[in-house]
Amino acid sequence: MTYRVNGKSFDGEPDPGQCLRTFLRALGHFGVKKGCDAGDCGACTVWLDGAPVHSCITPAFRAEGREVTTIEGLGAPGDLHPVQRQFRDAPGFQCGFCTAGMIMTSATFTEAQKADLPRALKGNLCRCTGYRGIEDAVKGVVGVAKAAPGKAVGTSVSAPAAEEVVTGRAAFTMDTHLDGMLHLKVLHSPHAHARIVSINKTAALAVPGVHRVYTWEDVPRRRFTTAIHTDHLVDPDDTCLLDRTVRFVGQRVVAVLADTVGAAEEGCRRVEVEYEVLPAVFDAEEAMADGAPQLHEAVDPFVLDPVHNTLVEIHSQIGDIDAGFAEADVIHEGTYFSPRVQHAHLETHGSIAWMEDGRLNVRTSSQSPSIAKVKLAHLFALRPDRLRVFCARVGGGFGGKQEVISEDLAALATLDTGRPVCFEYTREEEFTTASPRHPMTLTVKLGATASGRLTALQVRNVSNTGAYGNHAGETLYAGGAAVMIYRCPNKKYDAFSVYTNTVPSGALRGYGMTQPAFAVECAMDELALALHMDPLELRRRNIVRPGDPLISMDEGPDDVLFTEDGLATCLDLVGEAMARNAGEPSPGPGWLVGAGVASSLHETAPPTEHLSEAWVTLGDDLVYELAVGTVEFGEGTSTAHVQIAAHQLGTTPSRIRLVQSDTDRTGFDTGAFASAGLFVAGNAVLRAANAVRDRILEFAAAHTGVHVVMCSMDDDGVVCGDRRVPLAELVATARARGIRFSAARKAYGSPRSVTSNAQGFRIAVHPVTGEIRILYSVQATDAAVIINPAQVRGQVEGGVAQGIGFALTENHHVDAHGVMVNPNFRNYRIPTYADIPRTEVLLVDSSDSVGPLRSKGIAECCINPVAPALANALHDATGVRCRALPLTPERIYQQLSESRPVTTGLST
C-alpha cells in the first residue's frame, strides 16, 4: 500500500485491524495522541484529504492513496500555521495534550463553524482550560505579552514550551520508542473480594511473542503505599505489587510481558485463575458495622481497627458543643453526599523503563519523580544512585498522578529481562483501577442565634477509601478546612476513613476539601433560610478574619499565617457581580431562575513536609539554566518559575533555560500538588535566583571598583555606577579565576498562608425535564501578587469547569457487584465546550506574607466552592434541596415532582 503523510510518500502495510492512530505513531508522528481509543476525545485528530477525522476509529487502510496531515505537517516552530499561532498567543492550552487535536479540528473551521463552536467543537474534549482559552484561540484573541527585562512578574508571558506544544513537538511520556521495547498488560480481577487459589500460566506463555507472566509469587513481597508524600508514614503500607488477595474489581492479578500490546493482551486472556470468592462490602457505613467482611489484617500499625475496616478516625472538639446548641435560636442538620469522581486527564497513566550503564531509568507520567524514585528504590532494594526517574511533559494530573501505579510493574519487568518495557493504561483502566476522589457522606449540624452568629458547628464525615488507604488519612484531615472557614467557639469534627471493596480512592483537585465544602456551604445556605437571612450576609458575619484563630481540629499552634482579609473581599466581589444581573437571559417561559453562592478557604501548602530545591547557573552562552524538580502538567508552574527567575535576574524569560522533573538533573522536589509547585518550588527558585544575582553583582562590583549598592542587573549586563559591563566580560573573567555563577537553594512548605475563593452562579432550571442551564458564573480568588494574569484566569476557569462537571454530569457508577459500569468518556460525561459558560474571574488586590514575591498558588482551591454554589442556586430557583451530587436532571425532576407546587424562585 502507498501512503502519503505530511507531503511524503512511502509504501507500508498496516497490521490487520490496525487503526490510523497507532499506524502514524509507529512512524514517529507522536503529535497524534491517545486519549480514549473510542472516538470520544479528539486528541488523535488528523486530516484525511484536508478533512478532520478521529484517527483512533479510522482503519489505517482507509488512508491508502490519500493525503494524511498530522499536527507536525501543519507547521513547525518558527514557521507556525496561523491557527497554531493563535493557540500559542491566546493561550489556548494548559497541559497541551489535547492541543494538537484541537488545532487540527479548528484549522478547518468556516466562519459559520466559528460562530457555532458548541457544535463545531463537540468532538474535542479538554479537561484543563475550561474552554475559554480555546475559544479565544479560535477567534484570534491575543492574551500573551512580551516582558521587558526584569519585568516578567505581572506579565502574561507565553509558556516556555508553547511553540513545541502547538506544533506537536512537545514530548509526552509515551512519545518515544526504544529498540527492543516490550509491552506489559495486566489481567484484572473480576471479583470484588477473593483469594487466589491457583494461577496457570501455560496457555499464556504459549502465545507467540509472550516473554513473561508475573503473578504474586514472582514479585517482591514488600508492602508499600502508592500515595506520594514526603513523609510516607502518613499513609498505610497496605499494598503489594501483585497480591494473593484481591479486594476490588479491577485489581491487578497477573502482568504479561510480550513483544506487542496485542500479544500481551492475548496472554492475559489465556491465563487461568482459580478464585475463592469472599464476601464483599461496598458501603462505608456497612463496612464499619459488626460482622462486616474484613478487608485487611493488622498488617500495618497505621490501621486503627481492621475488624471494622477503619483505617483512620479523627475526633476533635473545641469548646462545648452541647452548650453551643443550647444557646442557639435556630438549628439546622442535614446529611450530604459527594460521590466518587474521576480525574479524566486526557493522558492516561504510563511508564517506560530501561537499563542504561547498569542503571534503571524510568520515564513516567507522574506528579513527583523524586518520590517515585524513593518508592522504587524501596520496592526493589536499589541503591538510589542506580536509579533515575524523570518526566517528559505530563498530560494533565489533578492529583491522579500523585501515585506510583504504573512505574512499579514496568521497573519489575525491565529489572527481570534487561529489556525496555512500556506499560500504558487504557482509558477503561483509568476509570476502573486508577484512584478517583473519595466518596464522602457528611452530616452537618449548625446552630446560630437569631442575629446570625454561629454558636455551634458539628461535622461527621465518613470517607470511603476503597480497597487501599492511599491518601485516606490526609484527605480526612484536609476536610477540616471547611470547618476552619467559620468563626465559632464550639466545634466538633468526627471523621472516619473506611476500607470497602471498591477501587482505591486518592488525590483529586481540592484534596479532601471539596466534599466537606459542598456539605458545609449547602448547610450554611439552609441555615440562612431558616434565619430569614441573606446567605452572603450570614457568611460575612461568621467568616474568619485576620487575627482570628484558624481552628478546625484543635487549638494547638500551627504554622499557618493568616494576615490578609481575602475571603471577605472575595465574598464582596461576588456579591457585587451577582447584583449586576450579568450573563445570559433566561431561556424562556416556564424556566425557573435562581442564584447561589459559596466560599472556601485553602492552605497554600500541605501540612506534611514539602521540600523543593532549585539550581540556577549562568552558562557560557549567557543563558541562565534553571533546574527545578517540579513537573509541568498544565498547572503553569514552569512559566511562573521562569518568570520569577527572570524578574530577579533583571532579564527576560527568553534567557532562562528550564530543566525540570529529572532526578539526575534536578534537586529533590516533593511534587507538584497542593499548589506547592508555586508556593514551595517558587520560593526555592526565588532564593536560588537571588543568590546568583548577588554573586554576579558582588563580582561586578569588585571587577569595576564600584560599591555593590551601585550595581544592578541589566538583561545581559550589569550597570556599575556609570559603567555597563557585559555579562560576557564578567563570565570570561570569572572563568579565568575558576569562579562560576551558580547557586542551589531549598524551600520548605512552612510557614504557610491561606488563599480564598468565592463562587456565584445564576442558573435556569426547567421544571419538567430537570435540566440546568448556567446563565452566569463568577469566581473571585485571592491569589495575592499575580505572576501571570492569563495563567491565573485559565486555572480558575479550568477549575470551575471541572467543578461543574463534578456537580452536574459526572458519576463513577458502581453496580451491586462492585463493577464500574460506565468506564469511558461517552458514558462518564466530562463537560464539553457546550456545557461550560464563560466564568468571570475577579482577582483580589492583595499581597501574601510568605509566598514567592508575595504570590499564592490557586490551581487547587478554585474547584471547592463550585458544587455548593450550584446546589444553592438550584434551591433558590426551585425550592428543592439536593443534598447528593451529581445534580442530574433525573434527580432534580424526582425532587421537583415530590415537592410540587413550586413556591420559590423566579418564573419567567
Side-chain angles (χ1 to χ4, degrees):
M1 294 181 179
T2 300
Y3 290 85
R4 185 172 175 83
V5 179
N6 295 333
K8 296 181 179 180
S9 297
F10 63 93
D11 292 331
E13 190 73 27
D15 295 330
Q18 186 174 20
C19 71
L20 184 57
R21 181 189 71 81
T22 58
F23 183 68
L24 291 170
R25 285 182 62 84
L27 296 171
H29 301 291
F30 293 120
V32 185
K33 298 291 189 252
K34 169 196 145 181
C36 65
D37 275 338
D40 294 333
C41 75
C44 66
T45 303
V46 300
W47 292 351
L48 273 186
D49 294 333
V53 299
H54 290 182
S55 61
C56 69
I57 56 172
T58 302
F61 75 83
R62 290 190 179 169
E64 182 186 11
R66 303 172 71 181
E67 184 70 38
V68 179
T69 307
T70 73
I71 187 70
E72 294 94 339
L74 198 64
D79 184 24
L80 300 181
H81 182 280
V83 175
Q84 290 174 316
R85 190 178 305 114
Q86 289 168 209
F87 270 77
R88 179 197 66 186
D89 294 344
F93 67 92
Q94 286 181 21
C95 84
F97 197 80
C98 74
T99 305
M102 285 285 182
I103 290 173
M104 296 304 291
T105 299
S106 302
T108 66
F109 285 170
T110 64
E111 290 304 315
Q113 287 175 304
K114 291 179 184 178
D116 189 12
L117 289 180
R119 179 179 294 275
L121 283 175
K122 67 180 181 180
N124 291 79
L125 296 177
C126 176
R127 190 56 152 170
C128 298
T129 65
Y131 296 102
R132 172 181 168 175
I134 291 167
E135 177 187 337
D136 287 347
V138 172
K139 295 183 176 180
V141 177
V142 174
V144 302
K146 290 189 178 295
K151 303 293 184 183
V153 168
T155 304
S156 295
V157 304
S158 189
E163 291 214 350
E164 285 71 25
V165 168
V166 301
T167 59
R169 270 76 171 177
F172 290 81
T173 309
M174 294 296 155
D175 294 344
T176 189
H177 183 80
L178 303 177
D179 290 341
M181 188 160 69
L182 302 176
H183 297 268
L184 188 145
K185 297 300 292 184
V186 167
L187 174 68
H188 302 280
S189 170
H191 304 293
H193 198 191
R195 185 174 293 108
I196 296 172
V197 177
S198 65
I199 299 176
N200 188 339
K201 308 177 183 180
T202 306
L205 288 169
V207 173
V210 169
H211 292 261
R212 297 284 194 279
V213 177
Y214 300 106
T215 73
W216 66 273
E217 297 177 292
D218 304 313
V219 301
R221 301 307 300 160
R222 296 190 177 197
R223 295 185 179 273
F224 73 113
T225 173
T226 61
I228 282 176
H229 291 109
T230 301
D231 181 2
H232 71 93
L233 296 177
V234 302
D235 307 299
D237 290 332
D238 59 2
T239 306
C240 296
L241 272 76
L242 296 170
D243 206 341
R244 187 178 184 182
T245 300
V246 292
R247 297 176 175 88
F248 69 98
V249 174
Q251 181 167 330
R252 305 187 307 198
V253 175
V254 169
V256 176
L257 188 65
D259 289 329
T260 65
V261 172
E265 290 175 338
E266 181 60 23
C268 289
R269 286 189 286 268
R270 298 284 187 91
V271 174
E272 298 172 6
V273 184
E274 181 184 352
Y275 297 94
E276 175 194 354
V277 179
L278 304 173
V281 61
F282 308 114
D283 178 80
E285 292 280 5
E286 293 175 5
M288 288 192 290
D290 290 339
Q294 182 178 335
L295 271 72
H296 292 271
E297 300 169 353
V299 297
D300 190 291
F302 195 106
V303 180
L304 179 68
D305 182 1
V307 173
H308 295 93
N309 297 305
T310 305
L311 175 58
V312 179
E313 288 185 19
I314 301 171
H315 300 286
S316 65
Q317 182 166 326
I318 296 140
D320 187 332
I321 197 72
D322 294 329
F325 284 118
E327 182 188 353
D329 296 310
V330 174
I331 293 174
H332 164 73
E333 184 171 5
T335 297
Y336 306 84
F337 176 69
S338 294
R340 188 178 287 108
V341 289
Q342 238 284 334
H343 308 79
H345 35 69
L346 289 195
E347 179 199 45
T348 61
H349 285 82
S351 298
I352 298 173
W354 70 94
M355 300 300 295
E356 187 174 322
D357 298 328
R359 300 177 74 225
L360 175 64
N361 289 257
V362 180
R363 170 175 170 145
T364 184
S365 179
S366 172
Q367 290 177 229
S368 177
S370 293
I371 297 182
K373 174 179 175 176
V374 171
K375 288 187 179 291
L376 293 176
H378 162 73
L379 282 171
F380 300 108
L382 295 173
R383 275 179 24 206
D385 63 343
R386 310 312 297 165
L387 175 61
R388 174 198 180 200
V389 179
F390 72 100
C391 297
R393 193 173 180 91
V394 175
F398 315 113
K401 294 170 181 175
Q402 196 186 334
E403 308 272 353
V404 172
I405 58 175
S406 64
E407 298 87 349
D408 52 354
L409 288 180
L412 167 78
T414 288
L415 288 170
D416 176 39
T417 64
R419 299 266 302 268
V421 171
C422 172
F423 178 28
E424 182 178 18
Y425 273 42
T426 65
R427 180 55 56 188
E428 181 172 339
E429 286 172 325
E430 285 292 327
F431 280 113
T432 58
T433 70
S435 301
R437 190 188 297 283
H438 292 74
M440 290 186 183
T441 301
L442 294 108
T443 299
V444 180
K445 186 177 181 182
L446 300 173
T449 64
S451 65
R453 176 178 58 84
L454 285 178
T455 62
L457 196 169
Q458 182 173 354
V459 175
R460 182 180 188 270
N461 182 0
V462 178
S463 174
N464 186 337
T465 191
Y468 297 94
N470 42 309
H471 297 283
E474 291 299 280
T475 52
L476 207 63
Y477 277 94
V483 178
M484 179 176 66
I485 192 172
Y486 293 111
R487 184 194 312 116
C488 183
N490 308 296
K491 296 182 180 181
K492 192 171 191 294
Y493 184 67
D494 297 294
F496 308 82
S497 185
V498 184
Y499 286 122
T500 67
N501 294 112
T502 57
V503 60
S505 302
L508 206 163
R509 192 179 203 166
Y511 198 77
M513 291 174 284
T514 311
Q515 308 94 314
F518 170 69
V520 172
E521 289 300 296
C522 286
M524 284 293 287
D525 256 51
E526 296 193 67
L527 179 64
L529 184 66
L531 289 166
H532 306 287
M533 183 178 292
D534 177 76
L536 262 178
E537 181 58 28
L538 180 63
R539 288 175 171 82
R540 288 191 184 101
R541 294 186 186 188
N542 291 284
I543 57 170
V544 292
R545 306 272 183 158
D548 292 337
L550 290 172
I551 296 174
S552 58
M553 301 297 180
D554 56 54
E555 296 181 282
D558 59 35
D559 62 346
V560 179
L561 302 179
F562 183 35
T563 58
E564 298 84 31
D565 201 7
L567 181 56
T569 307
C570 287
L571 288 171
D572 290 343
L573 288 173
V574 166
E576 293 165 4
M578 296 294 287
R580 293 198 302 267
N581 203 30
E584 299 295 322
S586 170
W591 289 78
L592 306 172
V593 176
V597 298
S599 52
S600 66
L601 200 67
H602 173 70
E603 295 166 347
T604 52
T608 50
E609 183 180 0
H610 206 104
L611 164 67
S612 183
E613 183 175 7
W615 306 337
V616 175
T617 301
L618 177 58
D620 293 340
D621 58 359
L622 306 185
V623 173
Y624 296 93
E625 182 172 278
L626 167 61
V628 60
T630 303
V631 178
E632 176 59 60
F633 55 92
E635 78 283 23
T637 52
S638 294
T639 314
H641 292 163
V642 167
Q643 287 181 261
I644 291 169
H647 190 86
Q648 297 308 103
L649 292 164
T651 188
T652 61
S654 63
R655 294 190 55 245
I656 307 293
R657 180 171 54 243
L658 184 64
V659 176
Q660 61 188 141
S661 55
D662 186 332
T663 60
D664 268 11
R665 302 180 64 195
T666 62
F668 184 90
D669 186 275
T670 296
F673 52 87
S675 290
L678 177 71
F679 186 78
V680 183
N683 265 326
V685 169
L686 176 73
R687 294 169 188 175
N690 285 346
V692 168
R693 177 199 62 198
D694 292 346
R695 290 183 183 183
I696 292 171
L697 293 178
E698 289 166 4
F699 186 87
H703 180 66
T704 60
V706 175
H707 195 281
V708 70
V709 298
M710 301 295 292
C711 299
S712 61
M713 303 297 293
D714 183 31
D715 197 11
D716 60 351
V718 177
V719 175
C720 297
D722 57 2
R723 178 185 171 191
R724 185 180 187 278
V725 185
L727 278 180
E729 179 181 330
L730 294 174
V731 169
T733 305
R735 283 289 194 204
R737 300 179 187 176
I739 297 171
R740 197 163 177 241
F741 299 127
S742 182
R745 292 292 184 271
K746 297 177 183 178
Y748 298 85
S750 181
R752 300 173 291 152
S753 55
V754 295
T755 190
S756 314
N757 304 77
Q759 174 72 40
F761 285 109
R762 191 164 60 87
I763 68 171
V765 185
H766 198 287
V768 176
T769 65
E771 178 189 357
I772 288 179
R773 292 191 188 178
I774 299 173
L775 307 178
Y776 179 57
S777 170
V778 59
Q779 182 167 128
T781 186
D782 173 21
V785 172
I786 305 298
I787 302 293
N788 188 305
Q791 283 196 166
V792 169
R793 284 193 298 270
Q795 287 298 311
V796 174
E797 289 159 359
V800 173
Q802 202 167 28
I804 290 171
F806 293 167
L808 299 185
T809 64
E810 300 178 42
N811 198 353
H812 193 285
H813 288 286
V814 176
D815 69 12
H817 304 287
V819 179
M820 190 205 178
V821 298
N822 58 327
N824 52 65
F825 282 142
R826 190 163 304 182
N827 296 320
Y828 180 77
R829 275 279 288 122
I830 71 171
T832 66
Y833 175 91
D835 299 314
I836 301 300
R838 287 178 74 96
T839 293
E840 183 177 359
V841 179
L842 305 175
L843 303 178
V844 172
D845 183 10
S846 69
S847 176
D848 192 55
S849 51
V850 289
L853 298 176
R854 299 190 173 275
S855 66
K856 299 178 185 179
I858 49 82
E860 183 89 30
C861 54
C862 50
I863 196 172
N864 291 333
V866 174
L870 278 169
N872 292 337
L874 173 63
H875 181 271
D876 186 55
T878 65
V880 301
R881 170 62 63 177
C882 287
R883 293 178 178 167
L885 296 174
L887 308 174
T888 60
E890 297 86 355
R891 182 169 282 159
I892 295 168
Y893 173 76
Q894 180 179 0
Q895 291 202 220
L896 281 169
S897 300
E898 293 170 355
S899 64
R900 294 184 194 280
V902 175
T903 57
T904 63
L906 302 174
S907 181
T908 59

